Amino acid sequence: MKKKIMIVVGTLTTGGMERVNTVLANKLGETNEVFLYTIRGDKDSFYPLTVPLLKNNKTENSSRRLNILRLSGLLRLKFINQWIYKKEAAKVIKIIEKETPDTIIFNAENVLCLPFVKKAFPEINYISWLHNNANTYLTRVFKGIKSDFIKSLAQSNKVVSLTDEDKDIFKIFNEDTIAIPNPLTIDNHEISTLDTKIISWTGRIAHPMKGIDYLAEIASRLPDDWRISVAGSGNDKLFDKYINKYRSRDKIIRQVP
């Protein structure tokens, strides 16, 4: 029996989480009625999409307001965050009233909308899909509103983590937690001869999400004739700090975007 599935995301611009959501939506759409809703974005999907996309048409002012709150430091206050997610939940509720989905998948930060939405529609199946590691969510992303995050997990019908390690942590708050790794989206069947002793690393230069501290440390332990080619943009100053800490500068080839 076909399900009607609503996937709630922030935006569908470039990014790993955005890519995963489009792949997930396209696959689920083969056997179900699926649509995405960008709660903070009014632009088309950067990635190929074979299912409908509903967009928040009042995003410009919303994004500007969020940036002002972030720059002023007010975004760290619990009641400000609760106000934001309550307003965003109201947008989701309007879409539900019109589209009547059976299942809703909330992604990352949007899981904080879940308790507000569930109060209005308790019969819907709610899934919280988390794309970062558990400790990052608990100690950084939701540091000031951790109790709200835990409440959202506890009220989910199912929680999806990225790894088994994260699954074990999230199971403390919701026993019905499973691990689903990110899909492989690169169609490449070539096998390296390893004649060139260079390891390619591509990603956002960020910590702790992308583990650039581990990258710098691993580089320092490579055999003398091996190097790591690093491509991506982000916090270069912090990356340099880790490179200096582990004395791995001669092991890293920096590809400037």
Side-chain angles (χ1 to χ4, degrees), residues 161-229:
S161 70
L162 190 59
T163 68
D164 287 329
E165 291 80 6
D166 297 316
K167 178 186 69 175
D168 292 339
I169 296 174
F170 290 135
K171 271 198 167 187
I172 297 172
F173 314 117
N174 189 318
E175 185 63 29
D176 200 355
T177 299
I178 61 172
I180 300 178
N182 284 339
L184 181 63
T185 59
I186 300 174
D187 186 18
N188 184 358
H189 303 287
E190 296 181 20
I191 299 176
S192 174
T193 61
L194 299 181
D195 292 334
T196 303
K197 297 182 178 180
I198 296 178
I199 301 167
S200 293
W201 186 96
T202 303
R204 180 160 48 94
I205 308 300
H207 175 77
M209 292 76 74
K210 302 301 180 182
I212 57 173
D213 51 340
Y214 295 129
L215 181 64
E217 182 180 4
I218 290 169
S220 70
R221 300 184 182 188
L222 291 175
D224 291 339
D225 52 348
W226 280 86
R227 302 287 186 274
I228 299 179
S229 175

Side-chain angles (χ1 to χ4, degrees), residues 22-128:
T22 54
V23 172
L24 174 66
N26 291 340
K27 189 64 179 176
L28 289 175
E30 294 176 4
T31 54
N32 298 278
E33 185 179 352
V34 178
F35 69 96
L36 290 108
Y37 173 57
T38 50
I39 199 169
R40 294 179 183 174
D42 58 357
K43 292 180 170 53
D44 292 333
S45 174
F46 176 82
Y47 301 103
L49 199 58
T50 58
V51 301
L53 170 62
L54 304 183
K55 295 172 284 188
N56 175 18
N57 294 322
K58 297 182 179 179
T59 298
E60 187 177 347
N61 291 335
S62 175
S63 297
R64 188 181 294 119
R65 191 183 301 117
L66 280 173
N67 287 333
I68 292 172
L69 291 171
R70 187 177 292 108
L71 291 171
S72 66
L74 291 174
L75 205 56
R76 293 193 295 267
L77 299 176
K78 183 173 182 177
F79 78 93
I80 292 290
N81 274 279
Q82 290 173 330
W83 172 73
I84 290 171
Y85 289 109
K86 188 174 182 178
K87 284 180 70 67
E88 293 191 335
K91 300 174 188 176
V92 175
I93 288 171
K94 286 184 178 180
I95 300 296
I96 295 171
E97 289 172 343
K98 182 179 179 181
E99 301 294 336
T100 62
D102 306 301
T103 297
I104 299 179
I105 300 174
F106 284 103
N107 282 271
E109 290 88 346
N110 296 320
V111 302
L112 268 72
C113 295
L114 191 153
F116 300 107
V117 178
K118 188 169 185 175
K119 186 176 181 180
F121 298 95
E123 72 282 1
I124 291 176
N125 181 43
Y126 293 95
I127 299 173
S128 291

